[in-house]
């Protein structure tokens, strides 16, 4: 995924936190902010030290998240910025578990329009600010 697809600055992260809608499942929290001027979507990924105490674990999860987003790129609304915040529950996930849980959270947040085949609905939490 090219750098133009990433939310990079602290200001952009804070804007999404303060003004965006949030949705969560056990593994991920998604903050979504509509941006009509975007040519394509932008994503920010955060995996904190509570999730994994070593950089190896955190970087592996970020790689998995980027891979899932790249696979689903065509289904993602181009006029949004969104953040993927990883929760400690996802600490020991492999690629298939990351994919299943992330697609579920992105669908709840209406970032992805529909669930792909093989992904079932799970119990989730809904947050609104």
């Amino acid at each position: 995924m090219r750098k133009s697809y990433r939310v990079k600055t602290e200001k952009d992260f804070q804007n999404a936190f303060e003004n965006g809608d949030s949705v969560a499942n056990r593994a991920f929290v998604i903050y979504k902010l509509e941006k009509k001027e975007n040519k394509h979507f932008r994503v920010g990924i955060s995996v904190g030290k509570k999730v994994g105490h070593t950089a190896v674990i955190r970087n592996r999860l970020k790689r998995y998240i980027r891979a899932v987003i790249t696979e689903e790129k065509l289904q993602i609304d181009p006029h949004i910025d969104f953040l993927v915040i990883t929760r400690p529950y996802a600490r020991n996930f492999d690629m298939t578990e990351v994919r299943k849980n992330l697609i579920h959270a992105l669908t709840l947040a209406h970032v992805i329009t529909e669930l792909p085949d093989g992904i079932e609905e799970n119990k989730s939490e809904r947050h609104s600010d």
Side-chain angles (χ1 to χ4, degrees):
M1 188 177 347
R2 293 193 321 241
K3 287 191 178 182
S4 64
Y5 281 86
R6 297 193 190 152
V7 175
K8 292 178 282 222
T9 67
E10 179 68 20
K11 181 179 155 194
D12 288 340
F13 266 87
Q14 288 305 319
N15 189 27
F17 279 130
E18 292 166 7
N19 302 317
D21 297 326
S22 69
V23 173
N25 63 13
R26 286 184 174 182
F28 300 101
V29 180
I30 308 294
Y31 287 88
K32 180 178 107 172
L33 184 64
E34 301 284 335
K35 286 242 175 156
K36 297 295 182 195
E37 67 273 9
N38 282 5
K39 293 179 184 171
H40 53 75
F41 70 87
R42 295 188 316 157
V43 61
I45 300 170
S46 175
V47 182
K49 286 187 179 179
K50 284 184 180 179
V51 176
H53 296 293
T54 65
V56 173
I57 294 170
R58 295 191 304 271
N59 290 337
R60 181 185 308 126
L61 284 169
K62 285 189 271 190
R63 256 194 330 273
Y64 290 166
I65 292 166
R66 278 194 300 271
V68 171
I69 290 169
T70 303
E71 288 172 9
E72 303 298 327
K73 187 158 86 171
L74 297 175
Q75 291 198 34
I76 297 175
D77 179 3
H79 301 294
I80 61 168
D81 282 356
F82 66 100
L83 307 179
V84 178
I85 312 299
T86 307
R87 289 179 157 180
Y89 183 78
R91 178 180 294 126
N92 298 317
F93 278 10
D94 62 9
M95 179 64 178
T96 56
E97 290 173 305
V98 168
R99 185 177 201 294
K100 185 176 108 180
N101 282 278
L102 183 57
I103 288 177
H104 176 253
L106 291 173
T107 305
L108 287 175
H110 302 292
V111 172
I112 291 179
T113 50
E114 59 185 57
L115 283 172
D117 295 335
I119 308 288
E120 68 276 351
E121 280 285 327
N122 285 346
K123 190 173 140 182
S124 65
E125 304 168 24
R126 196 175 261 294
H127 300 278
S128 61
D129 295 322

